[in-house]
Amino acid sequence: MNPAAEGGYGQESAPDRRTILVVVQELVMERFRVVERIGSGGMGTVYRAYDERLQREVALKEIEGADHQRVLREAHAAARLNHPSIVTLYELGEHAGRAVLISELVPGETLATLEATGRLCDRDVAEITADLCDGLLHAHARGVVHRDIKPQNVIVGDDPRAGRRAKLMDFGIARIAGAPTLTAAGEVVGTLAYMSPEQAEGEVAGPETDVYSLALTAYECWAGLNPVAGRTPAQTARRIGEPQMPLGVHRPDLPSVLTETVDACLDPDPELRPTARELADCLRAEIAELDAVHRLPGHDVPDGDPEHTPSSGSARTSVLALLGVAIAPVLGAAGIGGAAAALGAAGAGVRSRAVLGALAWLWMLAAAVAFGIGSDLGIGDGDLVGSLVSPQSLLGALVFAAASVGLGWVLSARHVALALLGAMIWAAATVAALAVVGDGSLGSGPAAVVIAAAVAVALEFGLPRPVAPAAARPPRLGRAGLAGTGLRAPTP
């Protein structure tokens, strides 16, 4: 995914020289030679260009379909800002009747791309969010509010000399404190799924609005879902300002101080939210406690699916999960059918894990009845259909479904010690539940269930990723509390 296509000015790779020969055109503003189109988003199209005066590559954004007042506001807002965590605006001009913004070209990818492809760990998210807090403090001190913070508007640099620094881009709808508004009273500006309650109501957006949107972005990265985003815009709009599931419910392994601070940043009352300074202090106090080895799962389900939760299954395909379920009769034939309750945990979400768990049970029972293989499950009288729909069979399917969902949740604890502890508790509960199915024979072999849980943990944590380079991580500042001050822009 090209970052520029998501509204930013990022550079993903070196230009294709064959393409350059086709797209090179006349100089823009008698200085910037267009090299190639790298995407579109926000209010216009973004190109890679070369500044022939200063001998450097830049991002050239051609504004389409916007009046000059709005373009000037973007330029004036961004021109006030000069910070390592904000994409730098170099120049504003006009070409062929359209406004043109010349900005810094950042080698890297958007946070949305990194999140979707599973290339972030817990510590990465904290470092990126802390970088963005720094940029917001700089902007807020100069009376500039971004108003559209989301993963698509964050570029994460990959320059090894500068470290993995995150930058905010596209201040196109930023409000300059004290400047006349360019929107009608009550008009909503921003991206619905990341919009603060006061912004959705059409009220004046202050620094607290940016804190809300940034915290929601971090929540999404850690939890694997945006709790506000629904399947439709109307569903999303109804969720704005409603109480959200605490981050700690999705990620009980994260430090409680961190999860509670993120939750506080999502308070519907802007006056009760921590400031960007407080959020940054909390993040940096906890960074050393966060996992820098295992990668968070990417998104292989649609954004906004409320049933998507982080788990090892999120990174697996349905085909592999079904192949795992297919071995259920083999486990039954070996007399360790209880272990098959773990197979459905390979699913990609709560619903898929429950379905796969139930399928594992039904497939194992069907094979046992139809082909006479496997140990006695205590169910079935030779009638395949009757056996599958009997109350005892449905109870077994329910137990397997619940077990699969439970083990998937256990494996989301991104630390091996917590996962092992949870797996042992899961195994004990599963054995107890299986003991009430049929004649109880499935609950008589607890060792198989324990081994299955241990194998699942081993598969989840057996391939650790390298720890991020120390140069890319901000220094730990000590275990700071929530004390701190933040700047609020004056209300016009």
Side-chain angles (χ1 to χ4, degrees):
M1 186 181 300
N2 195 310
E6 297 176 297
Y9 313 134
Q11 170 190 355
E12 285 197 7
S13 60
D16 185 336
R17 296 299 174 187
R18 293 170 297 177
T19 305
I20 290 176
L21 295 175
V22 176
V23 300
V24 167
Q25 299 177 6
E26 74 279 7
L27 288 178
V28 174
M29 298 164 55
E30 300 182 351
R31 174 177 172 182
F32 304 101
R33 187 172 299 279
V34 175
V35 174
E36 63 175 332
R37 179 183 181 276
I38 56 177
S40 61
M43 294 187 297
T45 304
V46 184
Y47 301 87
R48 185 195 310 274
Y50 188 73
D51 183 346
E52 296 194 344
R53 183 181 303 169
L54 297 181
Q55 303 290 297
R56 64 182 178 185
E57 285 192 319
V58 296
L60 186 152
K61 184 174 183 180
E62 182 185 32
I63 308 301
E64 303 167 359
D67 59 48
H68 278 46
Q69 287 280 1
R70 194 172 292 271
V71 174
L72 287 173
R73 181 176 66 181
E74 175 172 356
H76 291 161
R80 296 186 182 191
L81 310 177
N82 182 18
H83 191 274
S85 294
I86 297 175
V87 171
T88 303
L89 174 67
Y90 294 143
E91 196 163 338
L92 169 69
E94 186 177 336
H95 177 70
R98 290 182 175 178
V100 173
L101 299 178
I102 308 299
S103 301
E104 173 186 11
L105 185 68
V106 182
E109 295 178 277
T110 63
L111 180 59
T113 299
L114 296 175
E115 177 191 1
T117 54
R119 285 181 285 161
L120 296 171
C121 63
D122 288 336
R123 189 174 295 184
D124 289 334
V125 177
E127 291 167 352
I128 289 168
T129 306
D131 282 348
L132 300 180
C133 284
D134 294 342
L136 286 181
L137 285 168
H138 176 83
H140 295 165
R142 286 150 185 80
V144 178
V145 180
H146 191 287
R147 297 205 301 175
D148 195 24
I149 296 175
K150 56 186 177 181
Q152 292 85 353
N153 276 344
V154 176
I155 184 77
V156 182
D158 58 10
D159 185 347
R161 297 168 299 177
R164 203 178 192 188
R165 186 92 194 189
K167 292 174 177 278
L168 274 170
M169 40 189 194
D170 200 351
F171 277 80
I173 60 172
R175 179 183 64 84
I176 307 172
T181 179
L182 295 183
T183 57
E187 181 178 343
V188 174
V189 181
T191 302
L192 199 60
Y194 301 91
M195 191 178 292
S196 68
E198 65 272 17
Q199 194 176 3
E201 291 291 338
E203 299 175 3
V204 173
E208 304 88 354
T209 290
D210 284 346
V211 170
Y212 179 96
S213 301
L214 178 57
L216 190 55
T217 296
Y219 183 118
E220 177 182 310
C221 291
W222 273 315
L225 57 85
N226 181 329
V228 178
R231 290 185 174 88
T232 65
Q235 189 180 69
T236 300
R238 287 193 296 268
R239 293 179 181 178
I240 297 175
E242 294 296 316
Q244 304 302 335
M245 186 73 71
L247 176 58
V249 173
H250 297 288
R251 295 297 310 277
D253 54 305
L254 292 176
S256 59
V257 173
L258 186 152
T259 59
E260 290 167 5
T261 302
V262 172
D263 292 339
C265 291
L266 300 180
D267 195 292
D269 186 346
E271 294 299 322
L272 298 181
R273 295 172 200 153
T275 64
R277 173 73 67 191
E278 292 166 347
L279 178 58
D281 287 347
C282 174
L283 290 167
R284 290 195 166 110
E286 301 298 331
I287 276 178
E289 307 301 322
L290 299 179
D291 182 9
V293 176
H294 300 93
R295 293 297 182 249
L296 295 169
H299 295 305
D300 57 352
V301 296
D303 288 343
D305 184 347
E307 298 204 297
H308 174 57
T309 54
S311 72
S312 63
S314 298
R316 297 180 175 89
T317 65
S318 297
V319 173
L320 291 177
L322 288 172
L323 288 175
V325 170
I327 71 170
V330 177
L331 297 178
I336 52 174
L343 296 175
V350 173
R351 181 183 300 169
S352 63
R353 287 194 289 271
V355 170
L356 287 169
L359 284 176
W361 164 263
L362 294 173
W363 174 226
M364 182 172 65
L365 178 60
V369 174
F371 303 107
I373 61 174
S375 59
D376 185 6
L377 302 179
I379 301 175
D381 55 4
D383 177 12
L384 177 59
V385 175
S387 298
L388 291 177
V389 300
S390 69
Q392 283 293 323
S393 174
L394 296 178
L395 177 61
L398 179 62
V399 169
F400 266 48
S404 296
V405 171
L407 184 57
W409 182 82
V410 165
L411 295 178
S412 71
R414 313 301 300 175
H415 296 277
V416 64
L418 287 174
L420 281 172
L421 176 62
M424 295 305 102
I425 297 173
W426 171 88
T430 301
V431 169
L434 291 174
V436 303
V437 177
D439 62 2
S441 61
L442 283 173
S444 63
V449 182
V450 172
I451 292 173
V455 168
V457 174
L459 290 174
E460 171 66 14
F461 294 90
L463 297 173
R465 303 291 185 90
V467 177
R473 298 195 291 268
R476 190 182 184 197
L477 302 182
R479 189 171 292 275
L482 292 182
T485 59
L487 294 165
R488 283 175 165 77
T491 301

